[in-house]
Amino acid sequence: MKAQIVIVAQHTSGQVDPVTYEVIACAQELGRKQNFASIVVVLGKKTRGLAQEIADTCGLEIIGIENEALEMYNAEAYRAALGEALMQLHPAYIVLPHTSMGYDLAAPLSIDLKAACITSVEAILTTDHAVSFQRSLFSGKIIAQIVPCKTPAVLTIQPGAWRAEKEKVTHTVEICITQMHLKPTSTKTICMKPSEHEGLDLNQADVIIAAGKGIGNEENLSLIFELAKIFPNSAVGSSRTVCDQGWLGYQHQIGSTGKTVAPKLYVAVGISGAIQHITGMKDSQVIVAINKDPNASIFSVAEYCIVEDLEAFIPALLDEYRQLKSGQK
Amino acid sequence: MKILVCVKQISDTDDIVRIDASRAWIEYHEKTSFRMNRYDEYALEEALRIREKYPETSIDAISLGPARAVSTIRKALEMGADNGIHLLAEQNSFISPSEIATLIATVAKPKGYSLILAGVMAEDDMFCQTGQLVAAMLGLPCATSVIYQERFENGKTLYVEREIEGGQRECLHIDLPAVLTIQSGINRPRYPSLSNVLRARKQEILRLNIKDLRQPEPCECLACLSYPQTQLKGEFIQGSLENKARTLLRVLHQKALL
Ligand SMILES: Cc1cc2nc3c(=O)[nH]c(=O)nc-3n(C[C@H](O)[C@H](O)[C@H](O)COP(=O)(O)OP(=O)(O)OC[C@H]3O[C@@H](n4cnc5c(N)ncnc54)[C@H](O)[C@@H]3O)c2cc1C
């Protein structure tokens, strides 16, 4: 098998993670632009089922690498196995998702392969002689174009930046499964366990009022709760920063390391719109954002954008609401 | 045990960020306020807590940046770090993670740290690479996005929990020396004590000009910066405060959300 682009699949408990298909879509775009072929590498204890699923969904050639030590993600084992496979494949690009697996693995792989490393890529730009990769800085307020100065280049792909393309696969796809010998790792993955953040079912709510660091202090949470009260079946959510400050428990956190929600209405109050937050709420039906910074990234996903200081705006909103209510009586 | 904590100075995230005339990097102005990257604050606090448990520990804080980065190293000393190391980069320009990591690894190598801590990412350039690169360059094991860590009795191994997606944690044993990149929420960073503030004021900070260190070879370069062309999905509601409030209530009502 020969391919210039190697995609590293991500999977958990026997299921291919959807983000893998986003990475594949990115690789396909890169392949079309540079006339490169792609191949998917799946690592695990058993990879046949995973490989077949990916093959049936995208029609790319697959390499399965198997070893007991690859049963759960382990940086050392993954790095050793991939390193060996990549030495033989000699790709120009290695693409991974920008997830806790991808960013854990990308930088060390780049050292092993003497490669460039560009993380959280959101778009590919090509000119006659160069390919550059677009990524965000400053929570999305600035866009940078980064050019690898070395081949190969290891890329991690920002989840949500590409849409998974599912094609009807009609041709038979080559799947090659190998057992790889690996040295025992010194770092041992013991188990997975859930973070203890249960107790609040944000997914049942029709309306979520989410507080960000912009609320400034814990006392201002009362504004958020008051606002939530005017909506039927509502709940209070938050950015991670609010939980880190101890203003709310982690059961309220929305985003890539918190909950994913899609209520009828999502009101983001004092939230900047970091990609890790947006990942968890972008599929909400209606998004309202209240932020004093007109350049805040949250506005790019909101349907109704309000540039105001929340300490003034929310009381005004509550006032207007009360007037409206009393007028109706 | 000797611990190194990597601390980066960043501009305050609420500030307006401007691209310089050559589109090569960010232009800061007199009013820009700078502070320690939040994730690095958690990393430093974790080091301080290790020292509280194992008093023989010493903590160095290292920062690569222009002259102003000294204030962030000073902040680390105020929080309780024992020594500060400043890798001076004279210009305010983009330096790639691989270059930064090479320079930190060069300085760290002869010091024989048992543990190197960094934030999981920098809030400004959001690369998520420096800690991992330093580890790989020094041949050390690394765990990223660490939300819990504890040393075993033997003093040689750490029990570590990494925060991964979907509300899960990955639990592992990792041998020292090692590198950990720290996720926010692992602890509650302290405010500096008065005695540490006074001590930090007088303390010397070791300064090394990066020009005098081994020159790293860049692996990636920054072609240019631009502002996002925000394709607004929606609209900015205009008018006075009251008008905006009224309009919002009206549209929410029309959509049967209120
Ligand atoms: C691996 C990893 C995983 C992460 N997972 C998550 C996650 O699951 N969920 C998550 O949310 N984050 C997550 N983060 C953190 C994320 O990158 C951001 O740091 C975080 O979302 C920022 O929270 P914020 O918007 O509340 O704060 P900030 O970014 O500080 O934004 C505050 C906003 O409030 C506005 N503001 C300030 N004062 C006012 C005022 N008076 N009125 C109106 N507006 C005001 C400011 O303009 C600013 O836009 C993760 C980060 C990492 C590295």
Side-chain angles (χ1 to χ4, degrees), chain A residues 84-307:
Chain A
E84 194 170 321
L86 293 169
M87 290 293 179
Q88 288 165 22
L89 288 165
H90 267 296
Y93 296 103
I94 300 99
V95 273
L96 306 105
H98 191 73
T99 54
S100 58
M101 173 195 85
Y103 63 69
D104 198 56
L105 205 52
L109 271 183
S110 75
I111 298 288
D112 297 345
L113 301 168
K114 301 193 168 33
C117 183
I118 305 176
T119 39
S120 62
V121 169
E122 293 170 2
I124 305 165
L125 298 166
T126 38
T127 60
D128 292 345
H129 14 255
V131 181
S132 67
F133 297 93
Q134 191 169 303
R135 66 187 301 291
S136 294
L137 305 178
F138 295 87
S139 302
K141 286 185 192 174
I142 303 284
I143 303 293
Q145 280 174 40
I146 314 259
V147 183
C149 326
K150 281 182 170 179
T151 313
V154 181
L155 310 174
T156 66
I157 307 308
Q158 187 60 53
W162 271 267
R163 195 187 291 273
E165 304 166 3
K166 303 221 166 165
E167 53 176 293
K168 194 120 195 76
V169 181
T170 46
H171 59 287
T172 45
V173 175
E174 197 178 335
I175 296 177
C176 164
I177 306 237
T178 53
Q179 295 290 325
M180 187 180 276
H181 179 76
L182 293 173
K183 277 196 256 156
T185 58
S186 72
T187 306
K188 306 262 186 268
T189 308
I190 309 299
C191 62
M192 300 292 173
K193 70 169 203 190
S195 293
E196 289 141 23
H197 301 153
E198 296 315 314
L200 176 74
D201 200 352
L202 288 174
N203 281 308
Q204 297 300 319
D206 288 330
V207 176
I208 294 178
I209 313 294
K213 171 103 182 303
I215 63 167
N217 55 54
E218 200 172 346
E219 289 69 54
N220 276 340
L221 271 178
S222 60
L223 290 174
I224 304 296
F225 280 98
E226 267 189 69
L227 182 57
K229 260 191 235 149
I230 73 172
F231 296 95
N233 192 20
S234 63
V236 169
S238 74
S239 71
R240 183 182 181 100
T241 315
V242 167
C243 307
D244 290 341
Q245 298 281 336
W247 297 341
L248 280 174
Y250 283 96
Q251 68 272 23
H252 294 273
Q253 185 194 322
I254 289 160
S256 62
T257 51
K259 293 191 173 124
T260 303
V261 297
K264 289 185 184 148
L265 172 66
Y266 190 92
V267 185
V269 187
I271 291 181
S272 61
I275 186 78
Q276 295 90 349
H277 186 80
I278 290 184
T279 308
M281 47 64 78
K282 61 174 188 323
D283 294 328
S284 306
Q285 285 172 32
V286 175
I287 299 172
V288 174
I290 302 163
N291 197 303
K292 67 175 181 188
D293 175 2
N295 295 316
S297 326
I298 190 74
F299 289 135
S300 65
V301 295
E303 194 159 335
Y304 299 105
C305 310
I306 290 160
V307 181

Side-chain angles (χ1 to χ4, degrees), chain B residues 229-248:
Chain B
Q229 290 161 324
T230 342
Q231 296 143 337
L232 269 193
K233 222 180 113 220
E235 51 170 325
F236 278 98
I237 297 181
Q238 308 290 344
S240 68
L241 188 70
E242 291 73 23
N243 274 333
K244 286 178 185 166
R246 229 169 283 147
T247 310
L248 181 61

